[in-house]
Amino acid sequence: MTAVIDALFTEFGKKATERWLTLAWLLGLSFVAALWCAALLGHAHALDVAMLIQRTRSHVNRAGTDPVTVVVVAAVVVMAALAAAGLARLLVAIVERLWLLEWRGRRLTWPGRRLALLDRRVQAEYHGLRVALVWPRLWSILEDHKRLPVQNARAGLDNAAITVSWGVLYALLGCAWWPGLLLGAGLAFGGWRHARRYAHAYAILVESLVDVHQGELAKALGVDLPHGVITADEAGQINARLSKGSSDHPERPGPAI
């Protein structure tokens, strides 16, 4: 079962990269602003806006208007924002793995269980056909407009992982500034809800495409379907052909989309 989920998520991080970069600046700068509030206010005066303005103005006055100082401060802010964005990006991989975490043969989270159910349903319907093997091949023959809903669902999963990652960072900030804990909890909860929603949508879409395009898949692989659908004989042929004769193919499937 691990192989199936890994196959579906192999390029999860790669697909998120472009979307991540478009938001990195804004999210990073927002987090730097929250860090500034934490540094100036702490827990005792966490929501004291007047104090924040006063102390910020005091720091600005001390820094002065020297061009070199302004450039240095701007550079520090930019580097801090990029560092925060980079740290959150690294956390995405951890979040993904936590969603797919397995204990004694059972996925511990709802998104992981829903994606594992996808493999069981395809195997049950098509006599042992392995979705981890057939999905990359099926994806390669689909038209672009049929790929789009799947891509949107994957994008939703990507964004959910990103949201949870920022939630973790804000929750850690809550150790020094309690509003950060509230922000982090809200982001993590929202990201989790979206992960459930999009994992379900993704699984349904993949299963539906296998149902609807099994004939095209079999034809592309040179396997005849005398009954019009994949039966036990055809499932065995497809699995054997795609595994290239390797006995351990369930553990090392090809890449997903």
Side-chain angles (χ1 to χ4, degrees), residues 138-218:
L138 178 57
W139 181 258
S140 69
I141 63 175
L142 289 175
E143 299 173 351
D144 288 343
H145 71 277
K146 294 178 181 178
R147 293 179 176 185
L148 185 58
V150 181
Q151 291 172 326
N152 289 337
R154 284 293 298 273
L157 278 169
D158 297 341
N159 292 334
I162 291 171
T163 302
V164 172
S165 298
W166 280 107
V168 171
L169 289 183
Y170 275 100
L172 292 174
L173 181 61
C175 296
W177 186 57
W178 62 261
L181 183 60
L182 299 181
L183 289 170
L187 287 170
F189 180 72
W192 172 250
R193 285 178 59 86
H194 279 85
R196 288 173 57 99
R197 172 186 174 188
Y198 285 107
H200 181 63
Y202 182 76
I204 288 177
L205 288 167
V206 171
E207 182 179 343
S208 299
L209 288 171
V210 173
D211 291 338
V212 174
H213 297 283
Q214 57 179 295
E216 297 171 42
L217 174 67

Coordinates of all heavy atoms in Angstrom, one line a residue, residues 138-218:
L138 N -1.7 5.8 -18.1 CA -3.0 6.4 -18.5 C -2.9 7.9 -18.6 O -3.4 8.5 -19.5 CB -4.0 6.0 -17.4 CG -5.5 6.6 -17.6 CD1 -6.0 6.1 -19.0 CD2 -6.4 6.1 -16.5
W139 N -2.2 8.5 -17.7 CA -2.0 10.0 -17.7 C -1.4 10.4 -19.0 O -1.7 11.5 -19.6 CB -1.2 10.4 -16.5 CG -1.0 11.9 -16.4 CD1 0.2 12.6 -16.8 CD2 -1.9 12.9 -16.0 NE1 0.0 14.0 -16.6 CE2 -1.3 14.1 -16.1 CE3 -3.2 12.8 -15.5 CZ2 -1.9 15.3 -15.7 CZ3 -3.8 14.0 -15.1 CH2 -3.2 15.2 -15.2
S140 N -0.4 9.6 -19.5 CA 0.3 10.0 -20.7 C -0.6 10.0 -22.0 O -0.2 10.7 -23.0 CB 1.5 9.1 -20.9 OG 1.1 7.8 -21.3
I141 N -1.7 9.3 -22.0 CA -2.5 9.3 -23.2 C -3.8 10.1 -23.0 O -4.6 10.2 -24.0 CB -2.9 7.8 -23.5 CG1 -3.8 7.2 -22.4 CG2 -1.7 7.0 -23.8 CD1 -4.3 5.8 -22.7
L142 N -4.0 10.8 -21.9 CA -5.1 11.6 -21.7 C -5.0 12.9 -22.4 O -3.9 13.5 -22.5 CB -5.4 11.9 -20.2 CG -5.9 10.7 -19.4 CD1 -5.9 11.1 -17.9 CD2 -7.2 10.2 -19.9
E143 N -6.1 13.5 -22.9 CA -6.1 14.8 -23.5 C -6.0 15.8 -22.4 O -6.4 15.6 -21.3 CB -7.4 15.0 -24.3 CG -7.5 14.0 -25.5 CD -8.9 14.1 -26.2 OE1 -9.7 14.8 -25.7 OE2 -9.0 13.5 -27.2
D144 N -5.6 17.0 -22.8 CA -5.3 18.1 -21.8 C -6.6 18.4 -21.0 O -6.5 18.6 -19.8 CB -4.8 19.3 -22.5 CG -3.3 19.1 -22.9 OD1 -2.7 18.2 -22.5 OD2 -2.9 19.9 -23.8
H145 N -7.7 18.5 -21.6 CA -8.9 19.0 -20.9 C -9.4 17.9 -19.9 O -10.1 18.2 -19.0 CB -10.0 19.3 -21.9 CG -10.6 18.1 -22.6 ND1 -10.1 17.5 -23.7 CD2 -11.7 17.4 -22.3 CE1 -10.8 16.5 -24.1 NE2 -11.8 16.4 -23.3
K146 N -9.0 16.7 -20.1 CA -9.3 15.6 -19.2 C -8.3 15.6 -18.0 O -8.6 15.1 -16.9 CB -9.3 14.3 -19.9 CG -10.5 14.1 -20.9 CD -10.4 12.8 -21.6 CE -11.6 12.7 -22.6 NZ -11.5 11.5 -23.4
R147 N -7.1 16.1 -18.2 CA -6.2 16.2 -17.1 C -6.5 17.4 -16.2 O -6.1 17.3 -15.0 CB -4.8 16.4 -17.7 CG -4.2 15.3 -18.5 CD -2.8 15.7 -19.0 NE -2.2 14.6 -19.8 CZ -1.0 14.6 -20.2 NH1 -0.2 15.8 -20.1 NH2 -0.4 13.6 -20.8
L148 N -7.1 18.4 -16.7 CA -7.3 19.6 -15.9 C -7.9 19.4 -14.5 O -7.4 19.9 -13.5 CB -8.0 20.7 -16.7 CG -8.2 22.0 -16.1 CD1 -6.8 22.6 -15.8 CD2 -9.0 23.0 -17.0
P149 N -9.0 18.7 -14.4 CA -9.6 18.5 -13.1 C -8.7 17.8 -12.1 O -8.7 18.2 -10.9 CB -10.9 17.6 -13.3 CG -11.2 17.9 -14.8 CD -9.9 18.1 -15.4
V150 N -7.9 16.9 -12.6 CA -6.9 16.2 -11.7 C -5.9 17.2 -11.2 O -5.4 17.2 -10.1 CB -6.3 15.0 -12.4 CG1 -5.3 14.2 -11.5 CG2 -7.4 14.0 -12.9
Q151 N -5.4 18.0 -12.2 CA -4.4 18.9 -11.9 C -4.9 19.9 -10.8 O -4.1 20.4 -9.9 CB -3.9 19.7 -13.1 CG -3.1 18.8 -14.1 CD -2.8 19.4 -15.4 OE1 -3.7 20.2 -15.9 NE2 -1.7 19.1 -16.0
N152 N -6.1 20.3 -10.9 CA -6.7 21.2 -10.0 C -6.8 20.6 -8.6 O -6.6 21.3 -7.6 CB -8.1 21.7 -10.4 CG -8.0 22.6 -11.6 OD1 -7.0 23.3 -11.9 ND2 -9.1 22.7 -12.4
A153 N -7.2 19.3 -8.6 CA -7.2 18.7 -7.3 C -5.9 18.5 -6.6 O -5.7 18.7 -5.4 CB -7.9 17.3 -7.4
R154 N -4.9 18.2 -7.5 CA -3.5 18.2 -7.0 C -3.0 19.5 -6.5 O -2.3 19.6 -5.5 CB -2.5 17.7 -8.1 CG -2.6 16.2 -8.3 CD -2.1 15.4 -7.1 NE -0.7 15.6 -6.8 CZ 0.3 15.0 -7.4 NH1 0.0 14.0 -8.3 NH2 1.5 15.3 -7.1
A155 N -3.4 20.6 -7.2 CA -3.0 21.9 -6.8 C -3.7 22.2 -5.4 O -3.1 22.9 -4.6 CB -3.5 23.0 -7.8
G156 N -4.9 21.8 -5.2 CA -5.5 22.0 -3.9 C -4.8 21.3 -2.8 O -4.7 21.8 -1.7
L157 N -4.3 20.1 -3.1 CA -3.5 19.4 -2.1 C -2.2 20.1 -1.8 O -1.8 20.2 -0.6 CB -3.2 17.9 -2.5 CG -4.3 16.9 -2.3 CD1 -4.0 15.6 -3.1 CD2 -4.5 16.6 -0.9
D158 N -1.6 20.6 -2.8 CA -0.3 21.3 -2.7 C -0.6 22.5 -1.8 O 0.2 22.8 -0.8 CB 0.2 21.8 -4.0 CG 0.5 20.7 -5.0 OD1 0.7 19.6 -4.5 OD2 0.6 20.9 -6.2
N159 N -1.6 23.3 -2.1 CA -1.9 24.5 -1.3 C -2.3 24.2 0.1 O -2.0 25.0 1.0 CB -3.0 25.3 -2.0 CG -2.6 25.9 -3.3 OD1 -1.4 26.1 -3.5 ND2 -3.5 26.1 -4.2
A160 N -2.9 23.1 0.3 CA -3.3 22.7 1.7 C -2.0 22.4 2.5 O -1.9 22.8 3.7 CB -4.2 21.4 1.7
A161 N -1.1 21.7 1.9 CA 0.2 21.4 2.6 C 0.9 22.7 2.9 O 1.5 22.9 4.0 CB 1.1 20.5 1.8
I162 N 0.9 23.7 2.0 CA 1.6 24.9 2.2 C 0.9 25.7 3.4 O 1.6 26.3 4.2 CB 1.5 25.8 0.9 CG1 2.4 25.2 -0.2 CG2 2.0 27.2 1.2 CD1 2.3 25.8 -1.5
T163 N -0.4 25.7 3.4 CA -1.1 26.4 4.4 C -0.8 25.8 5.8 O -0.6 26.5 6.8 CB -2.6 26.3 4.2 OG1 -2.9 26.9 2.9 CG2 -3.4 27.1 5.3
V164 N -0.8 24.5 5.9 CA -0.5 23.8 7.2 C 1.0 24.2 7.6 O 1.2 24.4 8.8 CB -0.6 22.3 7.0 CG1 -0.1 21.6 8.3 CG2 -2.1 22.0 6.9
S165 N 1.9 24.2 6.6 CA 3.3 24.5 7.0 C 3.4 25.9 7.6 O 4.1 26.1 8.6 CB 4.1 24.4 5.7 OG 4.1 23.1 5.1
W166 N 2.7 26.9 7.0 CA 2.8 28.2 7.6 C 2.1 28.2 9.0 O 2.5 28.9 9.9 CB 2.1 29.2 6.7 CG 3.0 29.7 5.6 CD1 2.9 29.3 4.3 CD2 4.1 30.5 5.7 NE1 3.9 29.9 3.5 CE2 4.7 30.7 4.4 CE3 4.7 31.2 6.8 CZ2 5.8 31.4 4.2 CZ3 5.9 32.0 6.5 CH2 6.4 32.1 5.2
G167 N 1.1 27.4 9.1 CA 0.4 27.3 10.4 C 1.4 26.8 11.5 O 1.4 27.3 12.6
V168 N 2.2 25.9 11.1 CA 3.2 25.4 12.1 C 4.2 26.5 12.5 O 4.5 26.6 13.7 CB 4.0 24.2 11.4 CG1 5.2 23.8 12.3 CG2 3.1 23.0 11.2
L169 N 4.7 27.3 11.5 CA 5.6 28.3 11.8 C 4.9 29.4 12.7 O 5.6 29.9 13.7 CB 6.1 29.0 10.5 CG 7.0 28.2 9.7 CD1 7.5 29.0 8.5 CD2 8.2 27.7 10.5
Y170 N 3.7 29.7 12.4 CA 3.0 30.7 13.3 C 2.8 30.2 14.7 O 2.8 30.9 15.7 CB 1.7 31.2 12.6 CG 1.9 32.3 11.6 CD1 1.9 32.0 10.3 CD2 2.0 33.6 12.1 CE1 2.1 33.0 9.3 CE2 2.2 34.6 11.1 CZ 2.2 34.3 9.8 OH 2.4 35.4 8.9
A171 N 2.5 28.9 14.8 CA 2.3 28.3 16.1 C 3.6 28.3 16.9 O 3.5 28.5 18.1 CB 1.8 26.8 15.9
L172 N 4.7 28.1 16.2 CA 6.0 28.2 16.9 C 6.2 29.6 17.4 O 6.8 29.8 18.5 CB 7.1 27.7 16.0 CG 7.1 26.2 15.7 CD1 8.2 25.9 14.7 CD2 7.3 25.4 17.0
L173 N 5.8 30.6 16.6 CA 6.0 32.0 17.0 C 5.1 32.3 18.2 O 5.5 33.2 19.0 CB 5.6 32.9 15.8 CG 5.7 34.4 16.0 CD1 7.1 34.8 16.3 CD2 5.1 35.1 14.8
G174 N 4.1 31.5 18.4 CA 3.2 31.7 19.5 C 3.9 31.5 20.9 O 3.4 32.0 21.9
C175 N 5.1 30.9 20.9 CA 5.8 30.8 22.1 C 6.3 32.1 22.6 O 6.5 32.3 23.8 CB 7.1 29.9 21.9 SG 6.7 28.2 21.5
A176 N 6.5 33.1 21.7 CA 6.9 34.4 22.1 C 5.8 35.5 22.0 O 5.9 36.6 22.6 CB 8.1 34.8 21.2
W177 N 4.8 35.2 21.2 CA 3.7 36.1 20.9 C 2.4 35.4 20.8 O 2.2 34.7 19.7 CB 4.1 36.9 19.7 CG 3.2 38.1 19.4 CD1 2.8 39.1 20.1 CD2 2.5 38.3 18.1 NE1 2.0 40.0 19.5 CE2 1.8 39.5 18.2 CE3 2.4 37.5 16.9 CZ2 1.0 40.0 17.2 CZ3 1.6 38.0 15.9 CH2 0.9 39.2 16.0
W178 N 1.5 35.4 21.8 CA 0.4 34.4 21.8 C -0.5 34.5 20.6 O -1.1 33.5 20.2 CB -0.4 34.5 23.1 CG -1.0 35.8 23.4 CD1 -0.6 36.8 24.2 CD2 -2.3 36.3 22.9 NE1 -1.5 37.8 24.3 CE2 -2.5 37.6 23.5 CE3 -3.2 35.7 22.0 CZ2 -3.7 38.3 23.2 CZ3 -4.4 36.5 21.7 CH2 -4.6 37.7 22.3
P179 N -0.7 35.7 19.9 CA -1.6 35.7 18.7 C -1.0 34.8 17.6 O -1.8 34.3 16.8 CB -1.5 37.2 18.3 CG -1.3 37.9 19.5 CD -0.4 37.1 20.3
G180 N 0.3 34.6 17.6 CA 0.8 33.6 16.6 C 0.3 32.2 16.8 O 0.0 31.5 15.8
L181 N 0.0 31.8 18.0 CA -0.6 30.5 18.2 C -2.0 30.4 17.6 O -2.4 29.4 17.0 CB -0.6 30.2 19.7 CG -1.2 28.8 20.1 CD1 -0.3 27.8 19.5 CD2 -1.2 28.7 21.7
L182 N -2.8 31.5 17.8 CA -4.1 31.5 17.2 C -4.1 31.5 15.7 O -4.8 30.8 15.0 CB -4.9 32.7 17.7 CG -5.1 32.9 19.2 CD1 -5.9 34.1 19.5 CD2 -5.9 31.6 19.7
L183 N -3.2 32.3 15.1 CA -3.0 32.3 13.7 C -2.6 30.9 13.2 O -3.1 30.4 12.1 CB -2.0 33.4 13.3 CG -2.4 34.8 13.4 CD1 -1.2 35.7 13.2 CD2 -3.5 35.2 12.4
G184 N -1.6 30.3 13.9 CA -1.1 29.0 13.4 C -2.2 28.0 13.5 O -2.3 27.1 12.6
A185 N -3.0 28.0 14.6 CA -4.1 27.0 14.7 C -5.1 27.2 13.6 O -5.6 26.2 13.0 CB -4.7 27.1 16.1
G186 N -5.4 28.4 13.3 CA -6.4 28.7 12.2 C -5.9 28.2 10.8 O -6.6 27.6 10.1
L187 N -4.6 28.5 10.5 CA -4.1 28.1 9.3 C -4.0 26.6 9.2 O -4.3 26.0 8.1 CB -2.7 28.7 9.1 CG -2.6 30.2 8.8 CD1 -1.2 30.7 8.9 CD2 -3.2 30.5 7.4
A188 N -3.5 25.9 10.2 CA -3.4 24.5 10.2 C -4.7 23.8 10.1 O -4.9 22.8 9.3 CB -2.7 24.0 11.5
F189 N -5.7 24.3 10.8 CA -7.1 23.7 10.7 C -7.7 23.9 9.3 O -8.2 23.0 8.7 CB -8.0 24.3 11.7 CG -9.4 23.8 11.7 CD1 -9.7 22.5 12.1 CD2 -10.5 24.6 11.2 CE1 -11.0 22.0 12.1 CE2 -11.8 24.1 11.1 CZ -12.0 22.8 11.6
G190 N -7.5 25.1 8.7 CA -8.0 25.3 7.4 C -7.3 24.5 6.3 O -7.9 23.9 5.4
G191 N -6.0 24.3 6.5 CA -5.2 23.5 5.6 C -5.6 22.0 5.6 O -5.7 21.3 4.6
W192 N -5.9 21.6 6.8 CA -6.3 20.2 7.0 C -7.7 19.9 6.4 O -7.9 18.9 5.7 CB -6.4 19.9 8.5 CG -7.0 18.5 8.8 CD1 -8.2 18.3 9.4 CD2 -6.4 17.3 8.6 NE1 -8.4 16.9 9.5 CE2 -7.3 16.3 9.0 CE3 -5.2 16.9 8.0 CZ2 -7.1 14.9 8.9 CZ3 -4.9 15.5 7.9 CH2 -5.9 14.5 8.4
R193 N -8.6 20.9 6.5 CA -9.9 20.7 5.9 C -9.8 20.6 4.4 O -10.4 19.8 3.7 CB -10.8 21.8 6.3 CG -11.4 21.7 7.8 CD -12.2 22.9 8.1 NE -13.4 23.0 7.2 CZ -14.5 22.4 7.4 NH1 -14.7 21.6 8.5 NH2 -15.5 22.6 6.6
H194 N -8.9 21.5 3.9 CA -8.7 21.5 2.4 C -8.1 20.2 2.0 O -8.4 19.7 0.9 CB -7.9 22.7 2.0 CG -8.7 24.0 1.9 ND1 -9.0 24.8 2.9 CD2 -9.3 24.5 0.8 CE1 -9.7 25.8 2.5 NE2 -10.0 25.7 1.2
A195 N -7.2 19.7 2.8 CA -6.5 18.4 2.4 C -7.5 17.3 2.3 O -7.4 16.5 1.4 CB -5.4 18.1 3.4
R196 N -8.4 17.2 3.3 CA -9.5 16.2 3.2 C -10.3 16.3 1.9 O -10.6 15.3 1.2 CB -10.4 16.3 4.4 CG -9.7 15.8 5.7 CD -10.6 16.1 6.9 NE -11.9 15.5 6.8 CZ -12.3 14.3 7.3 NH1 -11.4 13.7 8.1 NH2 -13.5 13.8 7.2
R197 N -10.7 17.6 1.7 CA -11.5 17.8 0.5 C -10.9 17.4 -0.8 O -11.4 16.7 -1.7 CB -11.9 19.3 0.5 CG -12.7 19.7 -0.8 CD -12.9 21.2 -0.8 NE -13.5 21.7 -2.0 CZ -13.6 23.0 -2.3 NH1 -13.2 23.9 -1.5 NH2 -14.1 23.3 -3.5
Y198 N -9.6 17.9 -1.0 CA -8.9 17.6 -2.3 C -8.4 16.2 -2.4 O -8.3 15.7 -3.5 CB -7.8 18.7 -2.4 CG -8.4 20.0 -2.8 CD1 -8.4 21.1 -1.9 CD2 -9.0 20.3 -4.1 CE1 -8.9 22.3 -2.2 CE2 -9.5 21.5 -4.4 CZ -9.5 22.5 -3.5 OH -10.0 23.8 -3.8
A199 N -8.1 15.6 -1.3 CA -7.7 14.2 -1.4 C -8.8 13.3 -1.9 O -8.7 12.4 -2.7 CB -7.2 13.7 0.0
H200 N -10.0 13.6 -1.4 CA -11.2 12.9 -1.8 C -11.5 13.2 -3.3 O -11.7 12.2 -4.1 CB -12.4 13.4 -1.0 CG -13.7 12.7 -1.3 ND1 -13.9 11.3 -1.2 CD2 -14.9 13.2 -1.8 CE1 -15.1 11.0 -1.6 NE2 -15.7 12.1 -2.0
A201 N -11.4 14.5 -3.7 CA -11.6 14.8 -5.1 C -10.6 14.1 -6.0 O -10.9 13.6 -7.1 CB -11.6 16.3 -5.3
Y202 N -9.3 14.1 -5.6 CA -8.3 13.5 -6.4 C -8.5 12.0 -6.6 O -8.4 11.5 -7.7 CB -6.9 13.8 -5.7 CG -5.7 13.3 -6.5 CD1 -5.3 13.9 -7.6 CD2 -5.1 12.1 -6.0 CE1 -4.2 13.5 -8.3 CE2 -4.0 11.6 -6.7 CZ -3.5 12.3 -7.9 OH -2.5 11.8 -8.5
A203 N -8.8 11.3 -5.5 CA -9.1 9.9 -5.6 C -10.2 9.6 -6.5 O -10.2 8.6 -7.3 CB -9.3 9.3 -4.2
I204 N -11.3 10.3 -6.4 CA -12.5 10.1 -7.2 C -12.1 10.3 -8.7 O -12.5 9.5 -9.6 CB -13.6 11.0 -6.8 CG1 -14.2 10.5 -5.5 CG2 -14.7 11.0 -7.9 CD1 -15.4 11.4 -5.0
L205 N -11.4 11.3 -9.0 CA -11.0 11.7 -10.4 C -10.1 10.6 -11.0 O -10.3 10.2 -12.1 CB -10.4 13.0 -10.4 CG -11.3 14.2 -10.2 CD1 -10.5 15.5 -10.0 CD2 -12.2 14.4 -11.4
V206 N -9.1 10.1 -10.2 CA -8.3 9.1 -10.7 C -9.0 7.8 -11.0 O -8.9 7.2 -12.0 CB -7.1 8.8 -9.7 CG1 -6.3 7.6 -10.1 CG2 -6.2 10.0 -9.6
E207 N -9.9 7.4 -10.0 CA -10.7 6.2 -10.2 C -11.6 6.3 -11.4 O -11.8 5.4 -12.2 CB -11.4 5.9 -8.9 CG -12.3 4.6 -9.0 CD -13.0 4.4 -7.7 OE1 -12.7 5.0 -6.7 OE2 -14.0 3.6 -7.7
S208 N -12.2 7.5 -11.6 CA -13.1 7.7 -12.7 C -12.4 7.6 -14.0 O -12.9 7.0 -15.0 CB -13.8 9.1 -12.6 OG -14.5 9.2 -11.4
L209 N -11.2 8.1 -14.1 CA -10.5 8.1 -15.4 C -10.0 6.6 -15.7 O -10.0 6.2 -16.9 CB -9.2 9.0 -15.3 CG -9.5 10.5 -15.3 CD1 -8.3 11.3 -15.0 CD2 -10.1 10.9 -16.7
V210 N -9.7 5.8 -14.7 CA -9.4 4.4 -14.9 C -10.7 3.7 -15.4 O -10.6 2.9 -16.4 CB -8.9 3.8 -13.6 CG1 -8.8 2.2 -13.8 CG2 -7.6 4.4 -13.2
D211 N -11.8 4.0 -14.8 CA -13.1 3.4 -15.2 C -13.4 3.7 -16.7 O -13.7 2.8 -17.5 CB -14.2 3.9 -14.4 CG -14.2 3.4 -12.9 OD1 -13.5 2.4 -12.7 OD2 -14.8 4.0 -12.1
V212 N -13.3 5.0 -17.0 CA -13.8 5.5 -18.3 C -12.8 5.2 -19.5 O -13.2 4.9 -20.6 CB -14.0 7.0 -18.3 CG1 -14.4 7.5 -19.7 CG2 -15.2 7.3 -17.3
H213 N -11.5 5.2 -19.2 CA -10.5 5.0 -20.2 C -9.7 3.7 -20.1 O -8.6 3.6 -20.7 CB -9.5 6.2 -20.1 CG -10.2 7.5 -20.4 ND1 -10.5 8.0 -21.6 CD2 -10.6 8.5 -19.5 CE1 -11.1 9.2 -21.6 NE2 -11.1 9.5 -20.3
Q214 N -10.2 2.7 -19.5 CA -9.5 1.4 -19.4 C -9.3 0.8 -20.8 O -8.3 0.2 -21.0 CB -10.3 0.5 -18.5 CG -11.7 0.2 -18.9 CD -12.5 -0.8 -18.1 OE1 -12.1 -2.0 -18.0 NE2 -13.5 -0.3 -17.3
G215 N -10.3 1.0 -21.7 CA -10.2 0.5 -23.0 C -9.0 1.1 -23.8 O -8.2 0.4 -24.4
E216 N -8.9 2.4 -23.7 CA -7.8 3.1 -24.3 C -6.4 2.7 -23.7 O -5.4 2.6 -24.5 CB -7.9 4.7 -24.2 CG -9.2 5.2 -24.8 CD -9.4 6.7 -24.5 OE1 -8.4 7.4 -24.4 OE2 -10.6 7.0 -24.2
L217 N -6.4 2.5 -22.4 CA -5.2 2.1 -21.8 C -4.8 0.7 -22.3 O -3.6 0.5 -22.6 CB -5.4 2.1 -20.2 CG -4.2 1.5 -19.4 CD1 -3.0 2.4 -19.5 CD2 -4.6 1.3 -18.0
A218 N -5.7 -0.2 -22.3 CA -5.4 -1.6 -22.7 C -4.9 -1.6 -24.2 O -4.0 -2.3 -24.6 CB -6.6 -2.4 -22.6

